[in-house]
């Protein structure tokens, strides 16, 4: 029988897509950190400013014939009201112009030139780059050996946000941003806590949070798990919040998309059937103490994948399922990899496969990318690092040279 708990450590400097935990954990388009709500608010505010202007002009024309009859005080009031209206319009115009400048800046960032001396995500390894001598090095400029065990887990729905995993049992776990030339720490978990990300929505990063403490067994370092739950890190406040409805050892799966979190819990007859789970949902607009809504009984260990892709410039969110053999999407089925075989993740409109097959070049990792609509294999090669910019997937080949391929986000 295949393992129940695949370990999926995914990552990349990418755009779009969710992590999963036992029995299977997955390791995100430029989907990251642009708030659609901000854009919607700006559109509404601009519309109101225009409406106010039109109403003001209409009122002015209606009053024209009576202006000579109005007392001086009324004229002053009109001037004051007009001045206030113009001031508001000016502020709205300034806000709109600032928004345009920010959008232009984001567009420039998304299509900026990528060079091989940038940092790249290396699946199941450290961030990688190519130095002036053409050598593969880590973020500190040190040569990368095949014995390196430092690795990062990709945070879905982002371009360049990762969770730095433990190298040693007592290491501190942190959330970082991989910039072009350096790595920026966004958050550090207290003590020896662990965190396995599901995805980033807004400024919140959702995932499995384990509160742990140091311990020993016969002199051997170990960890005591004090609490396990699905929660989120609020990057605005620097706080960790756990959902009470998940505050127990969850041995199933989980996925997060905009507005909701779905997860599994052991079903009623778990003692007789280890594959028996029930599917629940939490509303992300509600508090941490909400009760979970039951969606489906006897879920039977199907796996969950979240997707964020863009259609006509607007984000579209979906949840897909996989059984023990196949991944289903768009009336097609795609291979499903167990932990001993590798892992898979949805990024934009693509499935990224990270196989763990043995290859001669120990610094390289196999990568296959399949378009979910056409079923076409976009890329099938060995890489030493990757990142997404614009609508291209950039990667370092086995010769430490930079190549790219167009992908649908």
């Amino acid at each position: 029988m295949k393992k129940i708990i695949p370990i999926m450590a995914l990552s990349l400097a990418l755009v779009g897509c969710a992590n999963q935990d036992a029995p299977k954990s997955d390791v995100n388009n430029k989907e990251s950190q642009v708030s659609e709500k901000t854009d919607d608010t700006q559109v509404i505010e601009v519309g109101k400013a225009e409406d106010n202007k039109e109403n003001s002009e209409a009122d002015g024309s209606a009053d024209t014939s009576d202006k000579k009859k109005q007392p001086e005080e009324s004229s002053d009031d009109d001037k004051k009201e007009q001045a206030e209206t113009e001031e508001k319009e000016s502020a709205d115009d300034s806000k709109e112009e600032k928004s345009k400048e920010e959008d232009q800046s984001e567009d420039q960032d998304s299509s900026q030139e990528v060079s091989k001396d940038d940092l790249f995500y290396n699946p199941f390894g450290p961030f990688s780059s190519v130095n002036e001598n053409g050598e593969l090095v880590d973020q500190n400029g040190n040569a990368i050996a095949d014995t390196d065990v430092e690795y990062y887990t990709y945070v879905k729905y982002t371009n360049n946000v990762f969770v730095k995993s433990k190298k040693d049992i007592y290491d501190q776990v942190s959330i970082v941003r991989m910039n072009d030339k350096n790595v920026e720490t966004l958050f550090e978990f207290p003590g020896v806590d662990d965190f396995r990300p599901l995805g980033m929505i807004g400024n919140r990063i959702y995932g499995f949070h384990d509160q742990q403490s140091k311990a020993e067994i016969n002199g051997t370092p170990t960890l005591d798990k004090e609490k396990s739950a699905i929660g989120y890190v609020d990057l605005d406040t620097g706080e960790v919040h756990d959902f009470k409805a998940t505050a127990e050892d969850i041995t199933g799966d989980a996925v997060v998309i905009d507005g909701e979190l779905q997860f599994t819990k052991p079903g009623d007859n778990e003692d007789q059937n280890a594959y028996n789970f029930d599917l629940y949902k939490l509303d992300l607009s509600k508090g941490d103490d909400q009760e979970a809504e039951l969606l489906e009984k006897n879920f039977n260990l199907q796996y969950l994948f979240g997707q964020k892709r863009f259609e006509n410039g607007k984000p579209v969110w979906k949840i897909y399922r996989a059984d023990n053999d196949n991944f289903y999407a768009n009336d097609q089925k795609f291979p499903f990899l167990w932990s001993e075989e590798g892992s898979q993740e949805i990024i934009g409109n693509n499935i990224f496969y990270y196989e763990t097959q043995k290859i001669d070049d120990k610094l390289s990792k196999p990568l296959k990318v399949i378009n979910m609509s056409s079923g076409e294999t976009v890329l099938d090669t060995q890489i030493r690092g990757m990142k997404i910019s614009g609508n291209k997937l950039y990667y370092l080949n086995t010769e430490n040279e930079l190549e790219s391929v167009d992908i649908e986000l």
Side-chain angles (χ1 to χ4, degrees), residues 230 242-246 257 259-263 280-293 295:
I230 298 177
D242 291 330
F243 292 106
K244 291 182 179 180
T246 69
I257 60 172
E260 71 180 80
L261 166 72
Q262 291 188 15
F263 65 97
Y280 293 83
K281 182 181 81 170
L282 292 175
D283 185 338
L284 298 186
S285 67
K286 296 181 180 178
D288 308 339
D289 58 352
Q290 64 180 290
E291 293 187 5
E293 174 187 348
L295 293 180

Side-chain angles (χ1 to χ4, degrees), residues 325-395:
D325 299 308
N326 295 298
F327 174 92
Y328 301 94
N330 304 322
D331 298 323
Q332 300 182 75
K333 63 181 181 180
F334 304 93
F336 177 84
L337 300 181
W338 283 75
S339 60
E340 62 267 28
E341 301 169 327
S343 59
Q344 56 264 294
E345 185 55 89
I346 296 177
I347 299 170
N349 196 40
N350 313 277
I351 306 176
F352 279 60
Y353 286 97
Y354 307 91
E355 297 185 13
T356 54
Q357 64 187 28
K358 293 182 179 180
I359 56 179
D360 294 335
D361 179 9
K362 294 183 178 180
L363 295 180
S364 301
K365 313 292 182 184
L367 172 66
K368 179 185 288 187
V369 181
I370 298 179
N371 183 284
M372 292 173 59
S373 295
S374 66
E376 173 191 1
T377 298
V378 178
L379 183 68
D380 189 359
T381 188
Q382 297 175 24
I383 67 167
R384 291 184 165 183
M386 62 184 181
K387 71 187 305 178
I388 290 178
S389 181
N391 288 314
K392 287 184 178 292
L393 169 65
Y394 293 85
Y395 61 94

Side-chain angles (χ1 to χ4, degrees), residues 22 25 33 43 100 102 115 119 126 133 137 151 161 185 190 196 209 218 233 255 278 282 300 309 338 366 378 389 409:
S25 303
Q33 309 145 16
V43 170
K100 290 179 179 178
E102 291 174 347
S115 61
L119 289 175
N133 297 322
V137 296
Y151 68 95
V161 179
T185 299
R196 300 176 306 285
H209 175 217
N218 297 326
V233 176
V255 65
D278 297 332
L282 292 175
N300 289 330
R309 62 170 300 192
W338 283 75
V378 178
S389 181
L409 300 174

Side-chain angles (χ1 to χ4, degrees), residues 42 45-46 90-100:
Q42 290 168 347
E45 289 175 349
V46 171
S90 177
D92 288 338
D93 290 342
S94 176
K95 184 182 297 184
E96 181 181 8
E97 186 62 30
K98 181 179 180 181
S99 173
K100 290 179 179 178

